[in-house]
């Protein structure tokens, strides 16, 4: 399978714990995006990378959130001191850099904070 | 800021009937527009996209969409719905820096 893959698919954690999610983009894609989707809503942009550079972060991304993309390949999204409000689906997408391109999404990581 | 609105939260359609999902966008210039489909617990799959040119675009799974600048719309259509089309559908627009802005989604239920 050469699509975008995310790991884990599901994560249940206790409030206050740290969690880390991984995203492996399509190999030739230089852009990588993270989105968050809560129940009944469309995905909301969190952050994106071009190669290893993080170019923009949404105001939704509090100080407890950090994302990395070392070497411009896979990316990790870490949430520290999780809160119940962090419960959501975290979606990763990747794309080529041109104007006439589209983003391909992974299956997502469903986070439940109890 | 660019945005899209999906006026219908939920649509129920009979199998074999036609389907139309509405999407309105707000953007001054010609927008990049997309329709994605999401099955329960899954990621998003691209159905079709509009960048420029022919305003009627064909997508996968028998879907098509028409860009109408005069109405600021990009409605999704399918002539004959199958039970497997039951899912949530998202319209999205993309900014020049490649971020997608999604609508709230329309849930489609297909009855036998």
């Amino acid at each position: 399978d050469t699509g975008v893959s995310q790991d884990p698919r599901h994560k249940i954690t206790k409030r206050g714990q740290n969690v880390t999610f991984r995203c492996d983009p399509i190999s030739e894609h230089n852009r990588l995006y993270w989105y968050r989707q809560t129940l009944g809503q469309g995905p909301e942009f969190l952050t994106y990378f071009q190669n290893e550079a993080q170019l923009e972060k949404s105001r939704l991304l509090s100080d407890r959130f950090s994302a990395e993309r070392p070497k411009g390949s896979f990316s990790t999204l870490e949430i520290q001191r999780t809160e119940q409000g962090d419960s959501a689906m975290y979606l990763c997408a990747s794309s080529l850099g041109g104007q006439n391109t589209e983003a391909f999404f992974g299956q997502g990581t469903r986070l439940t904070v109890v | 800021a660019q945005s899209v609105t999906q006026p219908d939260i939920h649509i129920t359609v009979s199998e074999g009937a036609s389907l139309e999902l509405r999407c309105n966008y707000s953007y001054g210039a010609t927008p990049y527009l997309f329709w994605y489909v999401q099955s329960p617990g899954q990621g998003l799959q691209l159905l079709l996209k509009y960048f420029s040119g022919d305003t009627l675009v064909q997508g996968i799974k028998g879907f098509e969409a028409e860009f109408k600048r005069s109405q600021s719309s990009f409605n999704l259509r399918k002539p004959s719905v199958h039970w497997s089309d039951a899912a949530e559908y998202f319209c999205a627009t993309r900014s020049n820096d490649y971020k997608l802005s999604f609508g709230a989604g329309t849930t489609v239920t297909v009855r036998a």
Side-chain angles (χ1 to χ4, degrees), chain A residues 40-76:
Chain A
Q41 299 297 317
E44 295 174 294
F45 169 80
L46 291 179
T47 188
Y48 84 97
F49 294 83
Q50 179 156 317
N51 300 312
E52 66 275 11
Q54 188 174 17
L55 296 186
E56 188 170 343
K57 295 196 297 185
S58 162
R59 284 172 290 180
L60 294 174
L61 218 61
S62 75
D63 291 344
R64 296 183 296 105
F65 288 70
S66 63
E68 294 182 342
R69 193 183 182 196
K71 303 178 183 178
S73 56
F74 72 92
S75 175
T76 58

PDB file of all heavy atoms in Angstrom, chain A residues 40-76:
ATOM      1  N   GLY A  40     -19.121  15.152  14.066  1.00  0.00           N
ATOM      2  CA  GLY A  40     -20.120  15.970  13.397  1.00  0.00           C
ATOM      3  C   GLY A  40     -19.582  17.206  12.717  1.00  0.00           C
ATOM      4  O   GLY A  40     -20.361  18.041  12.242  1.00  0.00           O
ATOM      5  N   GLN A  41     -18.257  17.323  12.663  1.00  0.00           N
ATOM      6  CA  GLN A  41     -17.645  18.504  12.045  1.00  0.00           C
ATOM      7  C   GLN A  41     -16.715  18.102  10.916  1.00  0.00           C
ATOM      8  O   GLN A  41     -16.279  16.953  10.824  1.00  0.00           O
ATOM      9  CB  GLN A  41     -16.848  19.295  13.082  1.00  0.00           C
ATOM     10  CG  GLN A  41     -17.681  19.823  14.233  1.00  0.00           C
ATOM     11  CD  GLN A  41     -18.732  20.803  13.779  1.00  0.00           C
ATOM     12  OE1 GLN A  41     -18.484  21.680  12.941  1.00  0.00           O
ATOM     13  NE2 GLN A  41     -19.941  20.666  14.297  1.00  0.00           N
ATOM     14  N   GLY A  42     -16.403  19.073  10.072  1.00  0.00           N
ATOM     15  CA  GLY A  42     -15.377  18.834   9.073  1.00  0.00           C
ATOM     16  C   GLY A  42     -13.999  18.962   9.684  1.00  0.00           C
ATOM     17  O   GLY A  42     -13.834  19.546  10.757  1.00  0.00           O
ATOM     18  N   PRO A  43     -12.997  18.422   9.025  1.00  0.00           N
ATOM     19  CA  PRO A  43     -11.632  18.549   9.543  1.00  0.00           C
ATOM     20  C   PRO A  43     -11.196  20.015   9.615  1.00  0.00           C
ATOM     21  O   PRO A  43     -11.579  20.830   8.783  1.00  0.00           O
ATOM     22  CB  PRO A  43     -10.800  17.793   8.502  1.00  0.00           C
ATOM     23  CG  PRO A  43     -11.764  16.859   7.846  1.00  0.00           C
ATOM     24  CD  PRO A  43     -13.060  17.592   7.815  1.00  0.00           C
ATOM     25  N   GLU A  44     -10.379  20.306  10.637  1.00  0.00           N
ATOM     26  CA  GLU A  44      -9.829  21.651  10.807  1.00  0.00           C
ATOM     27  C   GLU A  44      -8.310  21.580  10.725  1.00  0.00           C
ATOM     28  O   GLU A  44      -7.682  20.708  11.334  1.00  0.00           O
ATOM     29  CB  GLU A  44     -10.240  22.225  12.163  1.00  0.00           C
ATOM     30  CG  GLU A  44     -11.735  22.449  12.312  1.00  0.00           C
ATOM     31  CD  GLU A  44     -12.083  22.871  13.726  1.00  0.00           C
ATOM     32  OE1 GLU A  44     -11.908  22.046  14.639  1.00  0.00           O
ATOM     33  OE2 GLU A  44     -12.503  24.011  13.928  1.00  0.00           O
ATOM     34  N   PHE A  45      -7.748  22.529  10.019  1.00  0.00           N
ATOM     35  CA  PHE A  45      -6.299  22.564   9.806  1.00  0.00           C
ATOM     36  C   PHE A  45      -5.558  22.800  11.121  1.00  0.00           C
ATOM     37  O   PHE A  45      -5.944  23.671  11.919  1.00  0.00           O
ATOM     38  CB  PHE A  45      -5.973  23.679   8.812  1.00  0.00           C
ATOM     39  CG  PHE A  45      -4.519  23.992   8.704  1.00  0.00           C
ATOM     40  CD1 PHE A  45      -3.679  23.196   7.944  1.00  0.00           C
ATOM     41  CD2 PHE A  45      -3.974  25.080   9.358  1.00  0.00           C
ATOM     42  CE1 PHE A  45      -2.333  23.473   7.838  1.00  0.00           C
ATOM     43  CE2 PHE A  45      -2.630  25.385   9.262  1.00  0.00           C
ATOM     44  CZ  PHE A  45      -1.805  24.584   8.500  1.00  0.00           C
ATOM     45  N   LEU A  46      -4.483  22.033  11.331  1.00  0.00           N
ATOM     46  CA  LEU A  46      -3.635  22.232  12.503  1.00  0.00           C
ATOM     47  C   LEU A  46      -2.279  22.810  12.118  1.00  0.00           C
ATOM     48  O   LEU A  46      -1.833  23.815  12.651  1.00  0.00           O
ATOM     49  CB  LEU A  46      -3.422  20.915  13.238  1.00  0.00           C
ATOM     50  CG  LEU A  46      -4.629  20.312  13.958  1.00  0.00           C
ATOM     51  CD1 LEU A  46      -4.243  18.985  14.609  1.00  0.00           C
ATOM     52  CD2 LEU A  46      -5.195  21.271  14.990  1.00  0.00           C
ATOM     53  N   THR A  47      -1.592  22.133  11.194  1.00  0.00           N
ATOM     54  CA  THR A  47      -0.254  22.553  10.827  1.00  0.00           C
ATOM     55  C   THR A  47       0.153  21.878   9.528  1.00  0.00           C
ATOM     56  O   THR A  47      -0.454  20.896   9.113  1.00  0.00           O
ATOM     57  CB  THR A  47       0.758  22.224  11.938  1.00  0.00           C
ATOM     58  OG1 THR A  47       2.032  22.820  11.627  1.00  0.00           O
ATOM     59  CG2 THR A  47       0.942  20.718  12.100  1.00  0.00           C
ATOM     60  N   TYR A  48       1.193  22.443   8.877  1.00  0.00           N
ATOM     61  CA  TYR A  48       1.726  21.743   7.719  1.00  0.00           C
ATOM     62  C   TYR A  48       3.218  21.972   7.547  1.00  0.00           C
ATOM     63  O   TYR A  48       3.783  22.934   8.062  1.00  0.00           O
ATOM     64  CB  TYR A  48       0.954  22.070   6.443  1.00  0.00           C
ATOM     65  CG  TYR A  48       1.350  23.331   5.708  1.00  0.00           C
ATOM     66  CD1 TYR A  48       2.223  23.284   4.627  1.00  0.00           C
ATOM     67  CD2 TYR A  48       0.794  24.553   6.058  1.00  0.00           C
ATOM     68  CE1 TYR A  48       2.556  24.433   3.936  1.00  0.00           C
ATOM     69  CE2 TYR A  48       1.124  25.708   5.375  1.00  0.00           C
ATOM     70  CZ  TYR A  48       1.986  25.634   4.303  1.00  0.00           C
ATOM     71  OH  TYR A  48       2.309  26.767   3.613  1.00  0.00           O
ATOM     72  N   PHE A  49       3.830  21.023   6.840  1.00  0.00           N
ATOM     73  CA  PHE A  49       5.260  21.008   6.582  1.00  0.00           C
ATOM     74  C   PHE A  49       5.498  20.999   5.079  1.00  0.00           C
ATOM     75  O   PHE A  49       4.782  20.357   4.323  1.00  0.00           O
ATOM     76  CB  PHE A  49       5.905  19.738   7.154  1.00  0.00           C
ATOM     77  CG  PHE A  49       5.877  19.652   8.647  1.00  0.00           C
ATOM     78  CD1 PHE A  49       4.750  19.194   9.315  1.00  0.00           C
ATOM     79  CD2 PHE A  49       6.989  20.022   9.396  1.00  0.00           C
ATOM     80  CE1 PHE A  49       4.719  19.110  10.689  1.00  0.00           C
ATOM     81  CE2 PHE A  49       6.975  19.933  10.773  1.00  0.00           C
ATOM     82  CZ  PHE A  49       5.841  19.479  11.426  1.00  0.00           C
ATOM     83  N   GLN A  50       6.523  21.701   4.693  1.00  0.00           N
ATOM     84  CA  GLN A  50       7.080  21.503   3.369  1.00  0.00           C
ATOM     85  C   GLN A  50       8.482  20.948   3.591  1.00  0.00           C
ATOM     86  O   GLN A  50       9.336  21.627   4.161  1.00  0.00           O
ATOM     87  CB  GLN A  50       7.147  22.792   2.552  1.00  0.00           C
ATOM     88  CG  GLN A  50       7.766  22.546   1.180  1.00  0.00           C
ATOM     89  CD  GLN A  50       7.362  23.564   0.150  1.00  0.00           C
ATOM     90  OE1 GLN A  50       6.208  23.946   0.064  1.00  0.00           O
ATOM     91  NE2 GLN A  50       8.325  24.017  -0.638  1.00  0.00           N
ATOM     92  N   ASN A  51       8.662  19.726   3.160  1.00  0.00           N
ATOM     93  CA  ASN A  51       9.865  18.970   3.518  1.00  0.00           C
ATOM     94  C   ASN A  51       9.964  18.940   5.042  1.00  0.00           C
ATOM     95  O   ASN A  51       8.999  18.578   5.704  1.00  0.00           O
ATOM     96  CB  ASN A  51      11.078  19.544   2.826  1.00  0.00           C
ATOM     97  CG  ASN A  51      10.927  19.503   1.312  1.00  0.00           C
ATOM     98  OD1 ASN A  51      10.551  18.464   0.758  1.00  0.00           O
ATOM     99  ND2 ASN A  51      11.180  20.608   0.647  1.00  0.00           N
ATOM    100  N   GLU A  52      11.087  19.350   5.621  1.00  0.00           N
ATOM    101  CA  GLU A  52      11.202  19.274   7.079  1.00  0.00           C
ATOM    102  C   GLU A  52      10.791  20.566   7.781  1.00  0.00           C
ATOM    103  O   GLU A  52      10.724  20.612   9.016  1.00  0.00           O
ATOM    104  CB  GLU A  52      12.637  18.914   7.472  1.00  0.00           C
ATOM    105  CG  GLU A  52      13.673  19.964   7.139  1.00  0.00           C
ATOM    106  CD  GLU A  52      14.193  19.854   5.722  1.00  0.00           C
ATOM    107  OE1 GLU A  52      13.601  19.083   4.926  1.00  0.00           O
ATOM    108  OE2 GLU A  52      15.181  20.536   5.408  1.00  0.00           O
ATOM    109  N   ALA A  53      10.471  21.598   7.016  1.00  0.00           N
ATOM    110  CA  ALA A  53      10.135  22.894   7.607  1.00  0.00           C
ATOM    111  C   ALA A  53       8.647  22.990   7.934  1.00  0.00           C
ATOM    112  O   ALA A  53       7.793  22.772   7.074  1.00  0.00           O
ATOM    113  CB  ALA A  53      10.526  24.010   6.641  1.00  0.00           C
ATOM    114  N   GLN A  54       8.361  23.347   9.188  1.00  0.00           N
ATOM    115  CA  GLN A  54       6.979  23.577   9.602  1.00  0.00           C
ATOM    116  C   GLN A  54       6.629  25.018   9.243  1.00  0.00           C
ATOM    117  O   GLN A  54       7.152  25.966   9.829  1.00  0.00           O
ATOM    118  CB  GLN A  54       6.834  23.347  11.105  1.00  0.00           C
ATOM    119  CG  GLN A  54       5.387  23.376  11.580  1.00  0.00           C
ATOM    120  CD  GLN A  54       5.251  22.994  13.043  1.00  0.00           C
ATOM    121  OE1 GLN A  54       6.220  23.002  13.805  1.00  0.00           O
ATOM    122  NE2 GLN A  54       4.048  22.649  13.469  1.00  0.00           N
ATOM    123  N   LEU A  55       5.735  25.187   8.277  1.00  0.00           N
ATOM    124  CA  LEU A  55       5.497  26.510   7.714  1.00  0.00           C
ATOM    125  C   LEU A  55       4.361  27.274   8.373  1.00  0.00           C
ATOM    126  O   LEU A  55       4.324  28.499   8.291  1.00  0.00           O
ATOM    127  CB  LEU A  55       5.244  26.394   6.203  1.00  0.00           C
ATOM    128  CG  LEU A  55       6.410  25.874   5.372  1.00  0.00           C
ATOM    129  CD1 LEU A  55       6.089  25.939   3.887  1.00  0.00           C
ATOM    130  CD2 LEU A  55       7.683  26.663   5.678  1.00  0.00           C
ATOM    131  N   GLU A  56       3.431  26.577   8.954  1.00  0.00           N
ATOM    132  CA  GLU A  56       2.319  27.290   9.586  1.00  0.00           C
ATOM    133  C   GLU A  56       1.692  26.432  10.661  1.00  0.00           C
ATOM    134  O   GLU A  56       1.604  25.210  10.527  1.00  0.00           O
ATOM    135  CB  GLU A  56       1.253  27.668   8.558  1.00  0.00           C
ATOM    136  CG  GLU A  56       0.161  28.581   9.131  1.00  0.00           C
ATOM    137  CD  GLU A  56      -0.756  29.150   8.069  1.00  0.00           C
ATOM    138  OE1 GLU A  56      -0.394  29.123   6.884  1.00  0.00           O
ATOM    139  OE2 GLU A  56      -1.845  29.617   8.454  1.00  0.00           O
ATOM    140  N   LYS A  57       1.255  27.092  11.721  1.00  0.00           N
ATOM    141  CA  LYS A  57       0.528  26.413  12.787  1.00  0.00           C
ATOM    142  C   LYS A  57      -0.766  27.173  13.050  1.00  0.00           C
ATOM    143  O   LYS A  57      -0.766  28.398  13.174  1.00  0.00           O
ATOM    144  CB  LYS A  57       1.356  26.364  14.073  1.00  0.00           C
ATOM    145  CG  LYS A  57       2.607  25.541  13.955  1.00  0.00           C
ATOM    146  CD  LYS A  57       3.199  25.198  15.312  1.00  0.00           C
ATOM    147  CE  LYS A  57       3.642  26.405  16.080  1.00  0.00           C
ATOM    148  NZ  LYS A  57       4.316  26.024  17.353  1.00  0.00           N
ATOM    149  N   SER A  58      -1.855  26.434  13.177  1.00  0.00           N
ATOM    150  CA  SER A  58      -3.139  27.044  13.469  1.00  0.00           C
ATOM    151  C   SER A  58      -3.186  27.501  14.926  1.00  0.00           C
ATOM    152  O   SER A  58      -2.476  26.972  15.792  1.00  0.00           O
ATOM    153  CB  SER A  58      -4.248  26.021  13.216  1.00  0.00           C
ATOM    154  OG  SER A  58      -5.446  26.385  13.847  1.00  0.00           O
ATOM    155  N   ARG A  59      -4.077  28.454  15.184  1.00  0.00           N
ATOM    156  CA  ARG A  59      -4.287  28.870  16.575  1.00  0.00           C
ATOM    157  C   ARG A  59      -4.901  27.749  17.399  1.00  0.00           C
ATOM    158  O   ARG A  59      -4.895  27.785  18.625  1.00  0.00           O
ATOM    159  CB  ARG A  59      -5.202  30.094  16.616  1.00  0.00           C
ATOM    160  CG  ARG A  59      -4.505  31.375  16.206  1.00  0.00           C
ATOM    161  CD  ARG A  59      -5.481  32.499  16.082  1.00  0.00           C
ATOM    162  NE  ARG A  59      -6.358  32.327  14.927  1.00  0.00           N
ATOM    163  CZ  ARG A  59      -7.315  33.180  14.599  1.00  0.00           C
ATOM    164  NH1 ARG A  59      -7.535  34.254  15.332  1.00  0.00           N
ATOM    165  NH2 ARG A  59      -8.067  32.975  13.544  1.00  0.00           N
ATOM    166  N   LEU A  60      -5.459  26.723  16.701  1.00  0.00           N
ATOM    167  CA  LEU A  60      -5.992  25.557  17.406  1.00  0.00           C
ATOM    168  C   LEU A  60      -4.882  24.769  18.086  1.00  0.00           C
ATOM    169  O   LEU A  60      -5.127  24.006  19.024  1.00  0.00           O
ATOM    170  CB  LEU A  60      -6.714  24.632  16.429  1.00  0.00           C
ATOM    171  CG  LEU A  60      -7.990  25.139  15.767  1.00  0.00           C
ATOM    172  CD1 LEU A  60      -8.461  24.125  14.734  1.00  0.00           C
ATOM    173  CD2 LEU A  60      -9.064  25.367  16.817  1.00  0.00           C
ATOM    174  N   LEU A  61      -3.667  24.931  17.604  1.00  0.00           N
ATOM    175  CA  LEU A  61      -2.538  24.156  18.106  1.00  0.00           C
ATOM    176  C   LEU A  61      -1.959  24.855  19.330  1.00  0.00           C
ATOM    177  O   LEU A  61      -1.124  25.755  19.210  1.00  0.00           O
ATOM    178  CB  LEU A  61      -1.489  24.030  16.999  1.00  0.00           C
ATOM    179  CG  LEU A  61      -0.739  22.708  16.875  1.00  0.00           C
ATOM    180  CD1 LEU A  61      -1.697  21.571  16.594  1.00  0.00           C
ATOM    181  CD2 LEU A  61       0.308  22.801  15.787  1.00  0.00           C
ATOM    182  N   SER A  62      -2.426  24.417  20.510  1.00  0.00           N
ATOM    183  CA  SER A  62      -1.945  25.052  21.731  1.00  0.00           C
ATOM    184  C   SER A  62      -0.504  24.635  22.007  1.00  0.00           C
ATOM    185  O   SER A  62       0.068  23.797  21.299  1.00  0.00           O
ATOM    186  CB  SER A  62      -2.832  24.654  22.909  1.00  0.00           C
ATOM    187  OG  SER A  62      -2.544  23.330  23.299  1.00  0.00           O
ATOM    188  N   ASP A  63       0.061  25.217  23.071  1.00  0.00           N
ATOM    189  CA  ASP A  63       1.444  24.913  23.439  1.00  0.00           C
ATOM    190  C   ASP A  63       1.641  23.452  23.808  1.00  0.00           C
ATOM    191  O   ASP A  63       2.769  22.965  23.843  1.00  0.00           O
ATOM    192  CB  ASP A  63       1.874  25.796  24.617  1.00  0.00           C
ATOM    193  CG  ASP A  63       1.991  27.248  24.208  1.00  0.00           C
ATOM    194  OD1 ASP A  63       2.036  27.512  22.992  1.00  0.00           O
ATOM    195  OD2 ASP A  63       2.023  28.116  25.096  1.00  0.00           O
ATOM    196  N   ARG A  64       0.557  22.753  24.085  1.00  0.00           N
ATOM    197  CA  ARG A  64       0.685  21.333  24.445  1.00  0.00           C
ATOM    198  C   ARG A  64       0.908  20.450  23.210  1.00  0.00           C
ATOM    199  O   ARG A  64       1.219  19.271  23.345  1.00  0.00           O
ATOM    200  CB  ARG A  64      -0.567  20.873  25.189  1.00  0.00           C
ATOM    201  CG  ARG A  64      -0.796  21.573  26.521  1.00  0.00           C
ATOM    202  CD  ARG A  64      -2.021  20.999  27.248  1.00  0.00           C
ATOM    203  NE  ARG A  64      -3.245  21.229  26.497  1.00  0.00           N
ATOM    204  CZ  ARG A  64      -3.890  20.295  25.819  1.00  0.00           C
ATOM    205  NH1 ARG A  64      -3.432  19.054  25.803  1.00  0.00           N
ATOM    206  NH2 ARG A  64      -4.999  20.583  25.174  1.00  0.00           N
ATOM    207  N   PHE A  65       0.691  21.024  22.052  1.00  0.00           N
ATOM    208  CA  PHE A  65       0.833  20.272  20.803  1.00  0.00           C
ATOM    209  C   PHE A  65       2.178  20.599  20.148  1.00  0.00           C
ATOM    210  O   PHE A  65       2.567  21.770  20.081  1.00  0.00           O
ATOM    211  CB  PHE A  65      -0.274  20.644  19.811  1.00  0.00           C
ATOM    212  CG  PHE A  65      -1.638  20.124  20.170  1.00  0.00           C
ATOM    213  CD1 PHE A  65      -2.331  20.641  21.246  1.00  0.00           C
ATOM    214  CD2 PHE A  65      -2.229  19.122  19.412  1.00  0.00           C
ATOM    215  CE1 PHE A  65      -3.597  20.157  21.575  1.00  0.00           C
ATOM    216  CE2 PHE A  65      -3.491  18.642  19.719  1.00  0.00           C
ATOM    217  CZ  PHE A  65      -4.182  19.166  20.795  1.00  0.00           C
ATOM    218  N   SER A  66       2.835  19.573  19.655  1.00  0.00           N
ATOM    219  CA  SER A  66       4.044  19.810  18.869  1.00  0.00           C
ATOM    220  C   SER A  66       4.116  18.789  17.750  1.00  0.00           C
ATOM    221  O   SER A  66       3.726  17.632  17.917  1.00  0.00           O
ATOM    222  CB  SER A  66       5.296  19.736  19.750  1.00  0.00           C
ATOM    223  OG  SER A  66       5.428  18.440  20.299  1.00  0.00           O
ATOM    224  N   ALA A  67       4.572  19.251  16.608  1.00  0.00           N
ATOM    225  CA  ALA A  67       4.701  18.374  15.452  1.00  0.00           C
ATOM    226  C   ALA A  67       6.103  18.503  14.885  1.00  0.00           C
ATOM    227  O   ALA A  67       6.709  19.583  14.928  1.00  0.00           O
ATOM    228  CB  ALA A  67       3.665  18.720  14.390  1.00  0.00           C
ATOM    229  N   GLU A  68       6.583  17.390  14.373  1.00  0.00           N
ATOM    230  CA  GLU A  68       7.908  17.370  13.768  1.00  0.00           C
ATOM    231  C   GLU A  68       7.876  16.573  12.477  1.00  0.00           C
ATOM    232  O   GLU A  68       7.041  15.688  12.316  1.00  0.00           O
ATOM    233  CB  GLU A  68       8.930  16.726  14.718  1.00  0.00           C
ATOM    234  CG  GLU A  68       9.190  17.481  15.979  1.00  0.00           C
ATOM    235  CD  GLU A  68      10.248  16.807  16.841  1.00  0.00           C
ATOM    236  OE1 GLU A  68      10.514  15.607  16.617  1.00  0.00           O
ATOM    237  OE2 GLU A  68      10.799  17.473  17.726  1.00  0.00           O
ATOM    238  N   ARG A  69       8.814  16.860  11.631  1.00  0.00           N
ATOM    239  CA  ARG A  69       8.991  16.061  10.417  1.00  0.00           C
ATOM    240  C   ARG A  69      10.492  16.000  10.106  1.00  0.00           C
ATOM    241  O   ARG A  69      10.975  16.646   9.181  1.00  0.00           O
ATOM    242  CB  ARG A  69       8.231  16.646   9.235  1.00  0.00           C
ATOM    243  CG  ARG A  69       8.154  15.679   8.062  1.00  0.00           C
ATOM    244  CD  ARG A  69       7.464  16.290   6.856  1.00  0.00           C
ATOM    245  NE  ARG A  69       7.374  15.308   5.772  1.00  0.00           N
ATOM    246  CZ  ARG A  69       7.116  15.636   4.511  1.00  0.00           C
ATOM    247  NH1 ARG A  69       6.926  16.902   4.168  1.00  0.00           N
ATOM    248  NH2 ARG A  69       7.042  14.693   3.589  1.00  0.00           N
ATOM    249  N   PRO A  70      11.197  15.214  10.908  1.00  0.00           N
ATOM    250  CA  PRO A  70      12.650  15.125  10.702  1.00  0.00           C
ATOM    251  C   PRO A  70      12.976  14.540   9.337  1.00  0.00           C
ATOM    252  O   PRO A  70      12.313  13.605   8.889  1.00  0.00           O
ATOM    253  CB  PRO A  70      13.104  14.192  11.836  1.00  0.00           C
ATOM    254  CG  PRO A  70      11.887  13.415  12.192  1.00  0.00           C
ATOM    255  CD  PRO A  70      10.719  14.307  11.956  1.00  0.00           C
ATOM    256  N   LYS A  71      13.935  15.149   8.663  1.00  0.00           N
ATOM    257  CA  LYS A  71      14.401  14.658   7.366  1.00  0.00           C
ATOM    258  C   LYS A  71      13.317  14.706   6.291  1.00  0.00           C
ATOM    259  O   LYS A  71      13.471  14.099   5.229  1.00  0.00           O
ATOM    260  CB  LYS A  71      14.955  13.234   7.466  1.00  0.00           C
ATOM    261  CG  LYS A  71      16.079  13.092   8.472  1.00  0.00           C
ATOM    262  CD  LYS A  71      16.569  11.657   8.562  1.00  0.00           C
ATOM    263  CE  LYS A  71      17.652  11.525   9.633  1.00  0.00           C
ATOM    264  NZ  LYS A  71      18.110  10.125   9.785  1.00  0.00           N
ATOM    265  N   GLY A  72      12.236  15.373   6.542  1.00  0.00           N
ATOM    266  CA  GLY A  72      11.218  15.536   5.518  1.00  0.00           C
ATOM    267  C   GLY A  72      10.504  14.270   5.120  1.00  0.00           C
ATOM    268  O   GLY A  72       9.917  14.208   4.034  1.00  0.00           O
ATOM    269  N   SER A  73      10.531  13.260   6.003  1.00  0.00           N
ATOM    270  CA  SER A  73       9.840  12.017   5.645  1.00  0.00           C
ATOM    271  C   SER A  73       8.597  11.877   6.519  1.00  0.00           C
ATOM    272  O   SER A  73       7.638  12.619   6.342  1.00  0.00           O
ATOM    273  CB  SER A  73      10.790  10.838   5.799  1.00  0.00           C
ATOM    274  OG  SER A  73      11.327  10.799   7.116  1.00  0.00           O
ATOM    275  N   PHE A  74       8.610  10.961   7.490  1.00  0.00           N
ATOM    276  CA  PHE A  74       7.446  10.787   8.352  1.00  0.00           C
ATOM    277  C   PHE A  74       7.319  11.986   9.290  1.00  0.00           C
ATOM    278  O   PHE A  74       8.253  12.776   9.465  1.00  0.00           O
ATOM    279  CB  PHE A  74       7.572   9.477   9.138  1.00  0.00           C
ATOM    280  CG  PHE A  74       8.618   9.516  10.217  1.00  0.00           C
ATOM    281  CD1 PHE A  74       8.301   9.881  11.512  1.00  0.00           C
ATOM    282  CD2 PHE A  74       9.934   9.181   9.928  1.00  0.00           C
ATOM    283  CE1 PHE A  74       9.268   9.928  12.498  1.00  0.00           C
ATOM    284  CE2 PHE A  74      10.907   9.222  10.899  1.00  0.00           C
ATOM    285  CZ  PHE A  74      10.569   9.601  12.191  1.00  0.00           C
ATOM    286  N   SER A  75       6.140  12.089   9.895  1.00  0.00           N
ATOM    287  CA  SER A  75       5.893  13.169  10.837  1.00  0.00           C
ATOM    288  C   SER A  75       5.303  12.591  12.117  1.00  0.00           C
ATOM    289  O   SER A  75       4.650  11.535  12.094  1.00  0.00           O
ATOM    290  CB  SER A  75       4.910  14.188  10.252  1.00  0.00           C
ATOM    291  OG  SER A  75       4.573  15.191  11.192  1.00  0.00           O
ATOM    292  N   THR A  76       5.538  13.277  13.218  1.00  0.00           N
ATOM    293  CA  THR A  76       4.904  12.915  14.491  1.00  0.00           C
ATOM    294  C   THR A  76       4.154  14.116  15.035  1.00  0.00           C
ATOM    295  O   THR A  76       4.563  15.268  14.855  1.00  0.00           O
ATOM    296  CB  THR A  76       5.935  12.442  15.526  1.00  0.00           C
ATOM    297  OG1 THR A  76       6.896  13.476  15.730  1.00  0.00           O
ATOM    298  CG2 THR A  76       6.620  11.168  15.069  1.00  0.00           C
TER     299      THR A  76
END
